[in-house]
Amino acid sequence: MLRCERNAAVQNNPDTTLVTPDAPIHNVTHGGRAKCLQRLARLDLPVPTTVALSFDAVQRIAKGHLPDIDAILEQFPQDALLCARPSSQDPDWGGPSAILNIGMNDARHEALRDTLGTDAAAAVFTRFVQSYAIHVDRLDPDMFDTITGEGSAALADVLDAYQHEAETPFPITRAEQLAGVLKSMARAWDGTSARLLRQAKGAPVDAGLGLVIQQMAFGVGQGECGSGVLQLVSSKTGMPQITGRYLRQSQGRDALRSGADSVFISRDDRGPSLEDSVPDCFAQLVAHATLMRERLRAEMQVEFTIENGQLHILDGVRVSRSSRAAVRIAVQLARDGIIPRQEALMRVEPNALNELLHRQVDRHAKRDLLGSGIAASPGAATGRLVFSANEAQASAARNEDCILVRRETSPEDIRGMHAAKAVITERGGITSHAAVIGRGIGLPCVVGVGDMRFQTQLGQLQTKDGRIIKAGDIVTVDGTNGSILLGAPETLEAALDDAFQDLMDWADAERDIDIRANADTPADAQTARNFAAQGIGLCRTEHMFFEDGRLTVMREMIFAETSDDRRAVLDRLLPMQRADFIQLFNIMQGKPVCIRLFDPPLHEFLPTDRDGQRDLADALNLPLSDVTRRIESMMEYNPMLGLRGVRLGVTVPEIYEMQARAIFEATIEASRDGDPVVPEIMIPLVSAKREVELVRTNVDAVAAAVATERGAEFTYRLGVMVETPRAALRAGDIAQHCSFLSFGTNDLTQMTYGLSRDDAGRFMSDYVRKEVFVEDPFHTLDIDGVGELLKLGSERGRATRPEVTLSICGEHGGNPESIKFCREAGFDYVSCSPFRVPVARLAAAQLAIAGRIT
């Protein structure tokens, strides 16, 4: 038996209190709805009488301790009907369904028949009985399916059905009904499914629920009666637009119900509107909404009821908004002086900017899901399926949009990726080749698609439900959430408008860490420049060799037998590299450009299929057997830990010498007509001080030779990419020979964990689900393990060389959590994919603002 706490509900009681302008109501104790209603009361808006129950009071109700129901009811007129609504701390956390018309019984029904009319009174009573049965007593809603008609006869049938199912008559007193509603709502909040649902939305485990009990304002009656919602902006774009719906003879949010015969709010050529029929109420509504925007400092959706021509404001909630609308709303509030710019920055979730930077599938579009995988690169694209890079290039030549499907991509697929609109791979993780390149060039990408069968030889995919999707079929890739959809659902274009630009400008004024971009080509650099990156933090030069006209030359160099032969071939690649670097320097206009010397194993540039090997034999005028034998001899069991990076620079120094010459000659050319260029040369995969000494000696020699030949002076900075655990541990020794240490967290994570970043996607979801890892360490920087190496490396490096520049250039560089770590560790900048630069700029600004607040 539930016990009552007598005399608990009195005005200004902290747990059950009448909502007044000075009542002790707070968002953290009573929830957002209760606090909003108090603010509306302070604005002297026509809000019905309301009592708020605190989180503690609701917890006690769930444990069987009711407040004094009679004392609560004394706050309302004796004949008033009531509604109960949830009031969680964050509206996005949800809560149990609202219950309207508490207090309806035979006596109230009879009284309302005289004022509302027979049918309207019966409808109010019927609605309450059904709502009470389903939400309070948890009875099967199907029990009402056989009841037809309306009015008094239908009401009688509903009451009979209730009594038959519940085995007790419907409760008749307002106190009994309210007690049942409060118990039901309090216990529903603690239900397992409700708890999991709100935790998925970011609510803490111990999130509390408040309740508000409000006097009903009838939206049904014989005069002008109805209910609806109004807002002053578009939820999709954030632009000013009076929108909403109004439904005559309705209650609550009936106007938004699918199929409701509701009308427009403002005057509209498509049909009748509230503005036409009740202009006075419309004008009052707009005035109230405008006042709420100014005083509550947010765009609000106003829930209202009109009762016999009189307007009542029942509630105000933040306008539902897309990411692009969130940016527009926050910026406009700041422009209007309602909130400061710093608060506008804090109101936008950094990752939400992806919706502005890339085309997106409309959230309201119908989706025919074929399969899903890891959302590796955001955005949406539609096209015909192709299964090879050559087919992708052929489609692009015909101006046909295509989606490239591969088991996994390799550097040889880069040209096909540039030609495609999106990429799907069977294998791979968040830092796989397809994912990294996709993010770099803004290409939607879904990797690790494990719920589809890739039949690449047949040119088709098979879904879980047995459907066959063939080459040429149209699909849509949603790289934002990892979905592959059949057909072409409606999409929304990217929107880098004036609001976005203002937000970015404000972010730059606040942040205290630099943001650079990883850019491998002039096109990538231009994207980075467009997004106001402060330089290039990582240019992976090997990607330049896969462009048309270069790959064959590169392969010829690989097949060269002697150092002199290699130099002769590299001399043909030199002007190509030099031209690339000149373009990069000119695009960045004096901003720093960090160029990583050649990194991948050479066999990645060689064809693996028979047809490709035959073509290579023809191009090099060699017997096919010689080509095949040479390729087989270069294969390694574990190439990512083999002859690559600085190991190539030490054993095949001609490659690095050619690249250094191309960098220095480009430096001289680009500095003639623009700002002086100070290139940064980065040595990859270092693990020992001696490696740096050897490469530095060669690079310095090339620099001296170029300066003498050209009669020009220039400066440059040389550093290393710290991506092996040993390099982090020995950073003190290595830093003696370096101007900068740039931590490559992709490989560093791979080597620290002993995980393949290309294959870990196969089991990573199981590891995260079973809490082996809190999160995929290739997606979110592992602060405890990899982060410890970053701290050790940075501390030891600066202990030896205090002025050494510290940065990270792995894919973690664009994550807000990683930026937070880097700021606290004293890093100078982070570098990320070009399309992540705006995200990083905003995240850095928010961290700086939060740091000043605390």
Side-chain angles (χ1 to χ4, degrees):
M1 186 72 179
L2 290 167
R3 300 190 299 275
C4 292
E5 300 171 4
R6 300 297 301 174
N7 300 318
V10 293
Q11 186 171 349
N12 294 335
N13 180 283
D15 290 325
T16 55
T17 179
L18 182 69
V19 175
T20 60
D22 56 353
I25 295 174
H26 306 283
N27 194 65
V28 295
T29 57
H30 292 75
R33 174 171 272 125
K35 186 61 184 177
C36 179
L37 288 170
Q38 182 183 51
R39 289 168 174 159
L40 300 185
R42 288 173 178 168
L43 298 178
D44 200 26
L45 298 186
V47 178
T49 301
T50 306
V51 170
L53 275 62
S54 70
F55 296 168
D56 290 341
V58 175
Q59 283 185 343
R60 288 197 293 271
I61 293 171
K63 295 175 182 177
H65 300 273
L66 277 172
D68 188 337
I69 297 297
D70 291 338
I72 292 175
L73 293 176
E74 287 174 0
Q75 310 300 317
F76 304 97
Q78 288 187 352
D79 60 350
L81 299 184
L82 310 175
C83 70
R85 300 173 186 241
S87 179
S88 56
Q89 187 170 341
D90 188 321
D92 292 338
W93 298 348
S97 299
I99 305 295
L100 310 182
N101 303 316
I102 301 168
M104 277 300 297
N105 52 30
D106 290 339
R108 289 297 300 130
H109 176 232
E110 288 298 322
L112 289 176
R113 289 174 64 178
D114 295 335
T115 56
L116 302 183
T118 300
D119 290 343
V124 170
F125 198 176
T126 299
R127 175 181 185 149
F128 176 55
V129 175
Q130 291 177 326
S131 178
Y132 194 95
I134 296 169
H135 298 294
V136 179
D137 288 332
R138 302 292 191 268
L139 301 181
D140 190 342
D142 293 346
M143 61 186 274
F144 300 117
D145 286 350
T146 59
I147 297 174
T148 59
E150 53 187 29
S152 298
L155 172 60
D157 290 341
V158 167
L159 287 169
D160 288 342
Y162 176 91
Q163 183 166 344
H164 174 77
E165 188 73 15
E167 299 182 353
T168 184
F170 188 75
I172 60 173
T173 69
R174 192 168 65 163
E176 185 180 6
Q177 293 171 2
L178 180 59
V181 168
L182 296 181
K183 288 185 287 182
S184 171
M185 296 180 80
R187 289 169 178 168
W189 181 255
D190 287 333
T192 301
S193 56
R195 185 168 59 252
L196 292 175
L197 184 61
R198 65 176 176 269
Q199 286 179 19
K201 296 179 179 179
V205 175
D206 59 349
L209 175 72
L211 295 173
V212 295
I213 305 162
Q214 189 176 74
Q215 182 175 340
M216 287 292 301
F218 279 107
V220 293
Q222 296 177 336
E224 177 60 49
C225 297
S227 63
V229 296
L230 172 143
Q231 61 191 53
L232 301 178
V233 296
S234 164
S235 292
K236 181 178 288 189
T237 66
M239 295 295 289
Q241 179 183 352
I242 297 176
T243 184
R245 303 293 283 179
Y246 172 69
L247 181 63
R248 286 192 173 90
Q249 302 299 316
S250 71
Q251 294 183 307
R253 300 177 73 85
D254 288 352
L256 301 180
R257 190 179 65 242
S258 177
D261 190 23
S262 55
V263 301
F264 297 102
I265 288 289
S266 58
R267 190 168 289 115
D268 197 297
D269 294 338
R270 292 172 292 175
S273 68
L274 176 68
E275 184 178 8
D276 291 322
S277 58
V278 196
D280 291 344
C281 286
F282 171 80
Q284 291 177 49
L285 262 175
V286 173
H288 293 335
T290 302
L291 181 62
M292 290 167 65
R293 177 181 185 268
E294 295 173 356
R295 301 294 290 277
L296 273 60
R297 305 166 67 249
E299 291 289 357
M300 305 294 289
Q301 184 184 79
V302 184
E303 183 176 342
F304 66 93
T305 293
I306 296 175
E307 182 179 18
N308 294 324
Q310 183 175 355
L311 178 66
H312 301 272
I313 303 298
L314 307 184
D315 197 10
V317 297
R318 287 179 302 179
V319 166
S320 173
R321 63 201 68 185
S322 67
S323 296
R324 65 186 63 195
V327 170
R328 168 69 60 178
I329 289 170
V331 168
Q332 195 58 52
L333 288 170
R335 287 171 174 169
D336 293 343
I338 295 174
I339 61 174
R341 292 178 176 180
Q342 291 82 358
E343 185 172 346
L345 290 166
M346 298 300 286
R347 288 191 182 190
V348 179
E349 167 62 34
N351 287 320
L353 294 182
N354 284 322
E355 186 174 313
L356 282 74
L357 302 175
H358 306 274
R359 176 189 294 176
Q360 302 289 331
V361 175
D362 191 330
R363 66 180 66 186
H364 302 297
K366 291 183 179 180
R367 292 169 173 253
D368 185 351
L369 182 65
L370 298 175
S372 58
I374 298 171
S377 180
T382 299
R384 299 184 182 276
L385 287 185
V386 298
F387 286 80
S388 74
N390 287 339
E391 292 171 352
Q393 290 179 275
S395 293
R398 296 192 300 267
N399 291 320
E400 292 179 356
D401 294 344
C402 67
I403 307 297
L404 177 61
V405 179
R406 303 291 286 159
R407 290 196 184 278
E408 58 187 337
T409 62
S410 69
E412 198 170 4
D413 292 310
I414 287 179
R415 286 176 292 172
M417 295 177 70
H418 278 281
K421 295 299 181 183
V423 174
I424 304 168
T425 68
E426 181 182 22
R427 306 181 187 126
I430 197 70
T431 56
S432 64
H433 179 269
V436 171
I437 299 302
R439 286 192 294 273
I441 63 178
L443 186 73
C445 182
V446 178
V447 302
V449 181
D451 58 357
M452 297 180 76
R453 186 178 176 190
F454 282 58
Q455 299 171 316
T456 55
Q457 293 294 328
L458 300 177
Q460 63 185 33
L461 301 173
Q462 184 174 353
T463 66
K464 277 193 306 185
D465 57 9
R467 286 186 286 175
I468 300 296
I469 313 300
K470 298 181 179 180
D473 289 346
I474 294 178
V475 301
T476 295
V477 173
D478 186 344
T480 302
N481 62 21
S483 300
I484 302 163
L485 311 173
L486 183 63
E490 185 178 351
T491 56
L492 301 174
E493 295 299 322
L496 304 184
D497 55 14
D498 60 306
F500 171 81
Q501 297 299 341
D502 279 357
L503 190 78
M504 289 294 96
D505 290 344
W506 300 345
D508 290 342
E510 298 293 334
R511 61 183 171 83
D512 52 13
I513 187 171
D514 286 352
I515 310 296
R516 294 197 198 179
N518 300 340
D520 304 334
T521 65
D524 296 342
Q526 188 59 59
T527 301
R529 182 76 189 188
N530 293 343
F531 286 139
Q534 293 172 281
I536 294 176
L538 172 62
C539 172
R540 291 163 284 216
T541 53
E542 60 270 10
H543 292 158
M544 299 173 177
F545 295 121
F546 284 96
E547 295 186 9
D548 292 336
R550 304 186 185 189
L551 185 57
T552 301
V553 181
M554 185 67 184
R555 288 170 171 173
E556 187 177 342
M557 186 277 296
I558 294 171
F559 271 74
E561 297 288 347
T562 67
S563 176
D564 288 341
D565 289 342
R566 282 192 292 271
R567 292 183 193 280
V569 179
L570 289 168
D571 283 344
R572 290 156 56 196
L573 285 173
L574 172 63
M576 303 177 192
Q577 282 262 277
R578 182 174 59 231
D580 289 331
F581 296 143
I582 290 173
Q583 286 189 69
L584 288 180
F585 295 150
N586 287 337
I587 290 169
M588 298 314 294
Q589 297 176 7
K591 294 184 181 297
V593 175
C594 184
I595 299 170
R596 184 181 74 181
L597 298 175
F598 193 89
D599 180 53
L602 293 177
H603 76 82
E604 286 194 1
F605 292 85
L606 301 177
T608 56
D609 62 293
R610 197 68 171 178
D611 290 340
Q613 292 172 359
R614 187 175 292 107
D615 291 341
L616 179 57
D618 291 340
L620 300 181
N621 194 25
L622 291 173
L624 177 60
S625 59
D626 288 357
V627 170
T628 304
R629 187 165 48 252
R630 182 64 180 273
I631 291 175
E632 290 175 351
S633 70
M634 296 186 66
M635 293 299 176
E636 298 177 278
Y637 287 109
N638 196 341
M640 288 299 100
L641 299 179
L643 185 56
R644 56 167 284 217
V646 69
R647 297 157 197 167
L648 272 172
V650 171
T651 59
V652 190
E654 300 86 6
I655 299 175
Y656 280 12
E657 290 169 6
M658 180 276 289
Q659 290 191 301
R661 175 171 285 274
I663 291 169
F664 297 140
E665 290 179 355
T667 297
I668 295 171
E669 292 296 326
S671 299
R672 283 177 177 162
D673 299 323
D675 296 329
V677 173
V678 181
E680 298 176 354
I681 299 176
M682 182 157 63
I683 310 170
L685 210 70
V686 166
S687 58
K689 176 180 71 171
R690 182 58 178 162
E691 293 172 321
V692 184
E693 292 174 343
L694 290 170
V695 173
R696 174 150 214 148
T697 298
N698 286 345
V699 171
D700 286 346
V702 173
V706 172
T708 300
E709 294 166 10
R710 297 297 182 94
E713 294 184 356
F714 56 86
T715 59
Y716 72 96
R717 305 176 74 223
L718 186 138
V720 302
M721 193 170 186
V722 181
E723 49 191 330
T724 67
R726 192 179 193 280
L729 294 172
R730 303 306 301 169
D733 295 336
I734 293 171
Q736 298 175 35
H737 306 281
C738 300
S739 298
F740 61 87
L741 300 174
S742 187
F743 291 81
T745 53
N746 296 352
D747 266 341
L748 186 57
T749 298
Q750 180 172 237
M751 295 185 189
T752 302
Y753 274 86
L755 283 173
S756 166
R757 68 188 194 188
D758 295 306
D759 299 319
R762 298 182 182 183
F763 59 85
M764 189 58 67
S765 60
D766 290 333
Y767 259 54
V768 174
R769 179 171 52 81
K770 294 179 179 180
E771 300 181 348
V772 179
F773 300 153
V774 176
E775 184 53 84
D776 182 342
F778 293 111
H779 188 266
T780 300
L781 182 66
D782 166 33
I783 301 298
D784 296 331
V786 179
E788 187 70 17
L789 286 172
L790 264 65
K791 286 182 180 178
L792 285 172
S794 61
E795 291 169 357
R796 293 176 181 181
R798 281 208 164 138
T800 300
R801 190 166 186 157
E803 73 278 12
V804 69
T805 301
L806 300 175
S807 66
I808 66 170
C809 58
E811 287 303 307
H812 296 102
N815 291 341
E817 301 87 351
S818 305
I819 297 172
K820 180 176 186 294
F821 171 85
C822 291
R823 286 184 69 254
E824 293 172 351
F827 279 44
D828 297 285
Y829 71 85
V830 299
S831 188
C832 56
S833 299
F835 282 91
R836 294 286 290 174
V837 167
V839 176
R841 290 162 65 192
L842 178 57
Q846 290 181 346
L847 290 166
I849 293 168
R852 289 195 291 270
I853 293 174
T854 57

